[in-house]
Amino acid sequence: MSVDRYAVFGHPIRHSQSPFIHRCFAEQTGQTLTYEAIDVPAENFGRALADFLAHSGRGLNCTVPLKELAFQKVEQLTERARFSKAVNTIIVQQDGTLSGDNTDGVGLVTDLVSNHQVNLHNARVLILGAGGAARGIIGPVMAQSPVSLYIANRTVSKAKKLALEFMQTGSITGCGFDDLAGLQFDIILNATSASLSGQLPPLPDNLLHSASCCYDLAYANTDTAFVKWAKAQGAAHCLDGLGMLVEQAAEAFYQWRQIRPDTQSVIAKLEAKRKTG
Ligand code: ATR
């Protein structure tokens, strides 16, 4: 019998840490499986998926630019995937049908709450950005019952639209960066793609107090522009998305294998890896 195959599809994919993470999980839990990174541009997604399924594919992660395509392709969706309109995890069911999940938001919340003891309950939360990354975390963030959520975006209409879409989940306001002046937050989550190009949204001073937490969903080998800003503003917690990456992977692994891997040891390995470049 052939070994169960898993993979991450994306473009570019060369620097993906997912194979390392899932191989650690498999070794740790004694699961026999393979996990590889496959470069798949958007135009090849359908063909690559069919080929993968025909060759012992049991589950997939999808990353940029494929999450919205994966959302369209699957036959069943979890509620959190339906709300986020994006799929980062595909589960091949026994009957061959495809289920789509989105584990990004729960990965973020687990990293904040379990790994860093940052409580979202009753917190004043600000999300920067209103693209796919922001959409993926709003549901799981609101499920923690923050007292309020602001979504601030360069294109204000997108922030307002997102706020409207999720309004049934609690107090949510969509606005521009200028509208943040005079407000204060317990937790700021950077879901813009600005970090990736070393840029920072134009944020007013005094958004934080001494116990505030800043979290960049992106991560890099050195501090992102947002983490640098958070440190300069004196935030108590200045975090990037490394823990979220491992926690979203652990949730995907659980969906595939019904076993929850230990994440702490893998986060520690990745921290050590990035220190040595
Ligand atoms: P992703 O899937 O990573 O969220 P996306 O859907 O293209 O990618 O969204 C990118 C987000 O980053 C958007 O909110 C974008 O703002 P606009 O909606 O105004 O385009 C935001 N963004 C990108 N570069 C930015 C910058 N330099 N400053 C502020 N916001 C930026």
Side-chain angles (χ1 to χ4, degrees):
M1 228 171 75
S2 51
V3 174
D4 288 351
R5 253 180 102 199
Y6 296 86
V8 58
F9 281 10
H11 182 73
I13 203 66
R14 206 150 41 100
H15 297 294
S16 172
Q17 298 286 358
S18 292
F20 177 82
I21 295 169
H22 282 282
R23 286 170 198 162
C24 288
F25 289 164
E27 194 177 324
Q28 193 199 99
T29 57
Q31 297 284 297
T32 305
L33 56 87
T34 64
Y35 190 106
E36 63 211 288
I38 303 178
D39 197 299
V40 179
E43 62 272 23
N44 291 353
F45 182 62
R47 210 171 336 128
L49 177 63
D51 184 64
F52 182 73
L53 295 174
H55 294 93
S56 308
R58 302 295 309 151
L60 263 189
N61 286 130
C62 294
T63 187
V64 178
L66 306 174
K67 291 183 188 183
E68 286 78 16
L69 282 177
F71 174 81
Q72 289 161 19
K73 201 84 189 175
V74 296
E75 283 124 326
Q76 300 115 37
L77 287 165
T78 60
E79 191 179 90
R80 59 195 183 197
R82 197 167 44 246
F83 269 112
S84 61
K85 294 189 178 160
V87 158
N88 78 336
T89 302
I90 295 179
I91 303 119
V92 183
Q93 303 292 356
Q94 291 295 344
D95 63 2
T97 58
L98 303 180
S99 294
D101 193 7
N102 190 326
T103 65
D104 286 333
V106 75
L108 167 73
V109 169
T110 304
D111 192 37
L112 277 170
V113 176
S114 304
N115 298 342
H116 297 286
Q117 288 74 51
V118 174
N119 211 342
L120 287 148
H121 182 68
N122 277 339
R124 294 165 297 173
V125 180
L126 167 62
I127 293 178
L128 306 172
R135 175 183 284 282
I137 63 171
I138 295 172
V141 164
M142 292 309 288
Q144 296 292 306
S145 311
V147 68
S148 62
L149 173 67
Y150 276 73
I151 303 169
N153 196 45
R154 183 172 60 184
T155 312
V156 181
S157 58
K158 279 168 70 180
K160 288 190 188 291
K161 189 163 170 278
L162 259 192
L164 208 62
E165 226 177 289
F166 284 86
M167 65 184 267
Q168 78 283 8
T169 63
S171 164
I172 310 187
T173 308
C175 63
F177 297 121
D178 288 349
D179 303 315
L180 298 173
L183 299 176
Q184 203 168 56
F185 297 94
D186 304 304
I187 301 171
I188 304 183
L189 308 169
N190 181 28
T192 69
S193 53
S195 270
L196 301 173
S197 50
Q199 289 176 310
L200 191 68
L203 299 172
D205 284 334
N206 305 318
L207 287 181
L208 307 177
H209 54 81
S210 59
S212 294
C213 168
C214 289
Y215 194 108
D216 199 335
L217 272 61
Y219 72 95
N221 280 345
T222 53
D223 284 351
T224 65
F226 179 69
V227 168
K228 280 188 194 139
W229 174 85
K231 286 184 175 173
Q233 295 281 321
H237 301 266
C238 306
L239 306 168
D240 74 8
L242 189 83
M244 173 180 173
L245 177 76
V246 176
E247 294 297 346
Q248 65 76 29
E251 182 66 21
F253 191 89
Y254 177 71
Q255 298 299 328
W256 294 327
R257 310 298 295 190
Q258 285 77 53
I259 292 183
R260 234 171 241 295
D262 169 63
T263 50
Q264 294 300 318
S265 57
V266 181
I267 291 172
K269 278 183 191 166
L270 284 174
E271 293 282 14
K273 243 174 97 165
R274 76 167 160 184
K275 277 207 183 85
T276 56

